[in-house]
Amino acid sequence: MNKLSILNIVHDTTVDGPGFRTAIYSAGCAHQCPGCHNPQSWNINNGSLYSVDTLMDIIKADEFANVTFSGGDPFTQIEGFTELARRIKLETKKSIWCYTGYLFEQIVKSPRLSQILPYVDVIVDGRFVDALKDEDLRFRGSSNQRIIDVQKSLKKDIVVSTQHSNIFSFT
Ligand code: SF4
């Protein structure tokens, strides 16, 4: 397994999902949203390389924190993050939130991108849209982004939002 290119690791953050979380910021993003808070994250070469084993040691060292994958876009390195998510679910009871610029519908339709879905609890989806930016939103930057219960959505074949119980059709 190749190493993952990681921009930053933040311990006990409270802004990337509920409770205390270890946030792993992935390098690399192809979405290039106008108004992106961190254009430096777009280049995958701007990160430092970590093995899945090393990331697991960091995650397990904090007994109480859950985990968030952010970026950049973690789906840029989907194979590595899928292996990391699989190990987290196998070896801990931690929940996983994952941010992405892709829409959930795009992920479900892609054999490559969808490989991570069995291991992720919540996906915050969609590109950042500056015109829809709202600083009062919790855990997301613009109002088009959805906080999605992944396992319920897969089971019901519709997108189930965790925050407002909104239901969106996949197609
Ligand atoms: S998906 Fe996120 S990191 Fe990527 S360009 Fe958009 S706001 Fe920036």
Side-chain angles (χ1 to χ4, degrees), residues 29 31-33 36-37 41-42 71-72 101 128:
C29 181
H31 300 292
Q32 303 193 0
C33 312
C36 170
H37 60 291
S41 69
W42 297 355
F128 171 70

Side-chain angles (χ1 to χ4, degrees), residues 83-153:
E83 177 59 10
L84 181 60
R86 191 187 71 78
R87 290 272 306 274
I88 291 169
K89 287 300 173 186
L90 197 65
E91 299 173 31
T92 80
K93 293 191 183 323
K94 296 178 185 297
S95 71
I96 302 175
W97 277 45
C98 183
Y99 285 77
T100 179
Y102 291 104
L103 291 174
F104 192 72
E105 292 83 347
Q106 293 175 300
I107 297 167
V108 167
K109 281 184 189 151
S110 161
R112 178 171 174 258
L113 299 181
S114 64
Q115 63 185 298
I116 199 170
L117 294 180
Y119 313 112
V120 173
D121 298 282
V122 169
I123 281 180
V124 184
D125 83 335
R127 298 175 65 194
F128 171 70
V129 177
D130 211 14
L132 300 176
K133 178 177 170 180
D134 182 347
E135 307 221 332
D136 290 334
L137 293 170
R138 278 189 91 196
F139 308 139
R140 56 202 173 122
S142 55
S143 59
N144 60 298
Q145 294 168 322
R146 302 171 295 181
I147 302 177
I148 296 168
D149 184 321
V150 174
Q151 300 313 316
K152 267 193 198 158
S153 298

Side-chain angles (χ1 to χ4, degrees), residues 147-166:
I147 302 177
I148 296 168
D149 184 321
V150 174
Q151 300 313 316
K152 267 193 198 158
S153 298
L154 292 175
K155 219 174 269 170
K156 296 187 173 184
D157 245 14
I158 47 175
V159 177
V160 180
S161 160
T162 59
Q163 214 175 35
H164 309 294
S165 302
N166 287 342

